[in-house]
Amino acid sequence: TTFTVAVNSVTFIYDRSLPVSVINIPAQEFIQSIPTVSGTATDDISSIYRVKLAIQDLALPSTWWSGTTWLTSPTTYWIATSTQPGIPTLWWYTSTPSLIHGKQYRLYAQTEDITYDKDIFSPNLQEPQAIFTITCDTVQPVAAVTYPINDSIINFIPTITGTTSDSPAGIAQGQVYVAIREEDPLGMWW
């Protein structure tokens, strides 16, 4: 008797690499509003399944943005973002909260790839998550000249001095500019 041995093969990719997402917008620590949060996501082997976002109010650490309102949750409250497949995958979120001057907020992004096993969907999760902290600053900085005194008559200016303030961002060193305009005849600037 002759027996024929059957051959069966399966090809698969074993993916343990973690996906990575990056928060690109907002890009500044001090902002007036947050119309959108966006970024990119990549994975070395698999495609991106989804990118999740969480927005935390740091004044009340268990307070999270739900997409429509602030809610209290003992754990991170994730909201779905929109994505556009590609290399990298683009992601964005536009149902952002109104911010309050002087308050800090923390943004978290976490991506998942499309890996899974036969029994349960178990994607590779980004660890650590992308994190970016922002502070709402809606008040303009203030500057005042203290010397020379306003409306004084002088024939020599050894120095120009003044004060500045801005909260919460502060004034960066070297970020105060002085302009001098001639009054009679009107118009010449130095």
Side-chain angles (χ1 to χ4, degrees):
T1 315
T2 305
F3 294 97
T4 303
V5 177
V7 176
N8 187 3
S9 67
V10 175
T11 302
F12 63 93
I13 297 172
Y14 184 71
D15 179 6
R16 295 293 297 154
S17 69
L18 299 179
V20 176
S21 62
V22 176
I23 299 169
N24 298 113
I25 297 174
Q28 302 294 320
E29 177 185 357
F30 295 97
I31 61 174
Q32 294 181 354
S33 64
I34 183 169
T36 188
V37 179
S38 64
T40 58
T42 58
D43 188 89
D44 290 341
I45 298 174
S46 302
S47 297
I48 299 299
Y49 171 64
R50 68 179 173 180
V51 179
K52 303 179 295 184
L53 177 70
I55 303 173
Q56 181 183 26
D57 180 341
L58 292 181
L60 306 165
S62 60
T63 303
W64 301 89
W65 180 247
S66 72
T68 56
T69 190
W70 291 103
L71 56 86
T72 300
S73 174
T75 60
T76 306
Y77 189 88
W78 294 105
I79 45 183
T81 66
S82 299
T83 58
Q84 178 181 334
I87 301 174
T89 296
L90 305 177
W91 65 267
W92 63 93
Y93 181 77
T94 57
S95 295
T96 56
S98 295
L99 305 181
I100 297 172
H101 176 74
K103 289 184 86 170
Q104 284 192 309
Y105 304 87
R106 185 158 294 146
L107 311 173
Y108 302 83
Q110 185 178 54
T111 189
E112 302 173 6
D113 67 16
I114 61 168
T115 60
Y116 64 93
D117 64 31
K118 69 181 183 68
D119 297 320
I120 59 169
F121 179 76
S122 179
N124 290 323
L125 270 174
Q126 174 183 0
E127 290 295 340
Q129 302 148 358
I131 299 173
F132 191 71
T133 302
I134 56 175
T135 302
C136 181
D137 185 0
T138 58
V139 176
Q140 296 293 326
V142 176
V145 175
T146 57
Y147 184 84
I149 298 169
N150 192 34
D151 292 328
S152 62
I153 299 173
I154 57 176
N155 65 359
F156 176 70
I157 303 174
T159 186
I160 297 173
T161 60
T163 60
T164 63
S165 66
D166 185 37
S167 179
I171 305 293
Q173 185 174 356
Q175 294 297 312
V176 177
Y177 301 96
V178 176
I180 301 172
R181 188 177 90 183
E182 186 177 42
E183 289 289 323
D184 188 21
L186 185 61
M188 298 298 290
W189 288 92
W190 293 343

